[in-house]
Amino acid sequence: MATVHSATYELLRKQGITKVFGNPGSNELPFLKGFPEDFQYILGLHEGVVMGIADGYALASSKPAFVNLHAAAGTGNAMGALTNSWYSHSPLVITAGQQARALVGVEAMLSNVDATQLPRPLVKWSYEPTWSGDVPRALSQAIHMATQPAPGPVYVSIPHDDWAQEIADDALLLADREVATAGLPSTAQLTNLTDRLNNASNPVLVLGPDVDAYQANAMAVELAEKLAAPVWVAPSAPRCPFPTRHSCFRGVLPAAVAGIASRLEGHDLIVVIGAPVFRYHQHAPGSYLPKGAKLIHLTCDLQEASRAPMGDALIGDISEMLNLLVQKIQQVDRAMPEPLPLPAPHPDSQDGPLAPEVIFDELNALAPEDAIFVKESTSTVTAFWQRVEMRHQGSYYFPAAGGLGFGLPAAVGAQLAKPNRQVIGIIGDGSANYSISALWTAAQYQIPVIFIILKNGTYGALRWFSRLLDAEDSPGLDVPGLDFCAIAQGYGVEAVEAKTRDEFRTAFNNALAAKRPVLIEVLTTTIEP
């Protein structure tokens, strides 16, 4: 007979899941015992880092990532990172080792008390099998639930004495199962949708991360061109769904009610595709929509559709819905939007820190065309989108919930998933410290990420909010005295400081040629988000 251990590894193998991201404790050792040679264990030094690496891998690969956490403490350590995974629709299968079944009730050390409640509401499904024989089936369910629309993290708590238990051979049938979504708009729904778009006098598209996740970027371009419609990226977008130098591209919407309405003024039909309606941040009250405007929401997420405060929603496969729309929409005879003017090259500073715009200009000139940017310098988002051209699917990742600590580990995970594309992590000095030990994983596994630390000695976005909220006298806004070159070298990563444009250019070109992880620390000025 098979064991829970052998049946689980066969299930993972058949599903193409052969990487395990974790930081083990005693509860996890029975699962890791006899670790198969065709699997790879990716060790992170903190569960928040483990989650971030897995998140980056899942986002870049569009495949489920298997995470192995340590009981309640490890799950708690990972919860901050889990907020980003939930809002970015990352397909993560999160497992946590539980104490032996006989000891859970007496709350022996390392018992995960009420384990299924711990990660909620940041998972699609949370479960602890009631007997050992249900573990492979539960993990099969977890894999399929994580990957079906809308994708997202799931959680399974597994008592450590379950792994050695024998199990019926029927459990091996789980390994060959396929679960797929086949929902498409009905003929009536599609006709109504296309009629509204064809009859709109001034439509606008707002595209979100699921367009990129479903690899529907090219269809979004075709739809925009047929409608001659301007395209905005949804506020706080964690992915880039549209080429940033296309003539239809208008930029990223602000994450505020009044700000969005003002940007969309004059449009009679707003079509939001693959994004929530909307992810607000700044409290700037106003009307949800410009006067006279109607909104249509195309989404893969029932929850996003249900909670939107306005508009009509259609839930389905983003790629298939866009494909059908492109076939049905008529080519309009309106003029295409004028392309946005390119920003002028930012001048060098004569003395002192570099402006972040200088770094972005250099990256735009020097980075490979298909580079992947993992961005977690929250105060420089606008400048980055204006100055760095992105034209390929999967070129940009950003923390979807705004929780810090995403950038460093997600860059490591994305590079693992896409070894043939250069990953460049652009990280603020405040953000970097939440997950700095990701550098160790990059060094140990020789994952050739280029980490660029923008060091301005403060929490830049928080500084901006302190002015907005009349709270500039708040403590804890600055982070002086950090030496990222020394820290990186301590973790085994080559590091260099760049003080001028020429020094950055040289350091970056050397990092491209190095084919190993490199950190570049740049002293920068602060700018408005």
Side-chain angles (χ1 to χ4, degrees), residues 356-413:
E357 292 93 338
V358 170
I359 305 304
F360 301 154
D361 285 346
E362 289 300 318
L363 287 176
N364 195 50
L366 301 174
E369 180 186 302
D370 65 346
I372 296 172
F373 297 98
V374 178
K375 179 80 167 51
E376 194 178 22
S377 169
T378 54
S379 64
T380 64
V381 169
T382 299
F384 179 86
W385 279 87
Q386 290 172 340
R387 293 177 178 272
V388 177
E389 181 177 4
M390 294 176 284
R391 67 181 73 173
H392 296 279
Q393 187 271 330
S395 291
Y396 175 82
Y397 301 104
F398 185 82
L404 298 185
F406 169 85
L408 281 173
V412 173

Side-chain angles (χ1 to χ4, degrees), residues 415-431:
Q415 189 71 83
L416 269 174
K418 295 292 182 182
N420 296 322
R421 294 176 67 178
Q422 179 63 61
V423 174
I424 302 166
I426 304 169
I427 319 296
D429 51 354
S431 303

Side-chain angles (χ1 to χ4, degrees), residues 339-363:
L340 294 175
L342 295 177
H346 199 280
D348 286 342
S349 57
Q350 297 301 312
D351 188 26
L354 291 173
E357 292 93 338
V358 170
I359 305 304
F360 301 154
D361 285 346
E362 289 300 318
L363 287 176

Side-chain angles (χ1 to χ4, degrees), residues 95-436:
T95 58
Q98 174 65 291
Q99 179 57 275
R101 287 186 180 272
L103 295 177
V104 174
V106 298
E107 297 191 15
M109 187 177 292
L110 300 180
S111 293
N112 192 349
V113 179
D114 209 359
T116 60
Q117 293 300 316
L118 183 57
R120 290 175 173 155
L122 299 175
V123 292
K124 293 175 67 177
W125 181 65
S126 186
Y127 186 69
E128 185 174 86
T130 57
W131 70 296
S132 60
D134 195 38
V135 171
R137 188 213 58 79
L139 289 172
S140 175
Q141 180 176 350
I143 292 167
H144 297 306
M145 291 195 71
T147 53
Q148 292 306 302
V154 297
Y155 183 86
V156 183
S157 170
I158 306 169
H160 71 72
D161 54 342
D162 283 0
W163 294 108
Q165 300 301 313
E166 291 187 341
I167 193 170
D169 289 340
D170 278 356
L172 299 177
L173 296 173
L174 293 164
D176 295 319
R177 293 192 70 226
E178 292 183 4
V179 176
T181 301
L184 288 173
S186 68
T187 300
Q189 289 170 328
L190 183 62
T191 299
N192 177 63
L193 182 58
T194 53
D195 285 348
R196 292 181 69 177
L197 275 166
N198 286 330
N199 293 329
S201 60
N202 189 14
V204 60
L205 303 182
V206 178
L207 304 181
D210 290 325
V211 172
D212 188 65
Y214 279 81
Q215 302 182 24
N217 308 52
M219 285 180 281
V221 170
E222 189 173 352
L223 179 63
E225 290 175 348
K226 277 196 165 185
L227 293 169
V231 173
W232 287 91
V233 173
S236 304
R239 303 177 78 139
C240 179
F242 199 82
T244 57
R245 290 287 184 263
H246 193 282
S247 64
C248 292
F249 180 71
R250 299 294 95 181
V252 182
L253 288 173
V257 172
I260 291 174
S262 67
R263 297 296 195 283
L264 301 180
E265 186 72 40
H267 295 287
D268 60 328
L269 184 63
I270 301 163
V271 184
V272 181
I273 306 174
V277 179
F278 287 105
R279 289 299 307 282
Y280 302 114
H281 185 191
Q282 179 189 348
H283 182 54
S287 298
Y288 281 124
L289 292 176
K291 187 176 180 180
K294 301 292 184 182
L295 185 142
I296 300 173
H297 183 200
L298 306 184
T299 178
C300 64
D301 191 326
L302 170 63
Q303 293 192 43
E304 288 180 0
S306 301
R307 70 172 180 259
M310 69 287 197
D312 302 323
L314 192 59
I315 304 164
D317 184 292
I318 296 296
S319 180
E320 291 299 327
M321 286 194 290
L322 271 173
N323 183 45
L324 291 172
L325 270 181
V326 165
Q327 295 178 43
K328 296 289 185 179
I329 291 296
Q330 300 169 4
Q331 179 69 56
V332 301
D333 58 6
R334 289 187 293 267
M336 290 285 285
E338 289 292 324
L340 294 175
L342 295 177
H346 199 280
D348 286 342
S349 57
Q350 297 301 312
D351 188 26
L354 291 173
E357 292 93 338
V358 170
I359 305 304
F360 301 154
D361 285 346
E362 289 300 318
L363 287 176
N364 195 50
L366 301 174
E369 180 186 302
D370 65 346
I372 296 172
F373 297 98
V374 178
K375 179 80 167 51
E376 194 178 22
S377 169
T378 54
S379 64
T380 64
V381 169
T382 299
F384 179 86
W385 279 87
Q386 290 172 340
R387 293 177 178 272
V388 177
E389 181 177 4
M390 294 176 284
R391 67 181 73 173
H392 296 279
Q393 187 271 330
S395 291
Y396 175 82
Y397 301 104
F398 185 82
L404 298 185
F406 169 85
L408 281 173
V412 173
Q415 189 71 83
L416 269 174
K418 295 292 182 182
N420 296 322
R421 294 176 67 178
Q422 179 63 61
V423 174
I424 302 166
I426 304 169
I427 319 296
D429 51 354
S431 303
N433 286 284
Y434 283 78
S435 54
I436 194 68

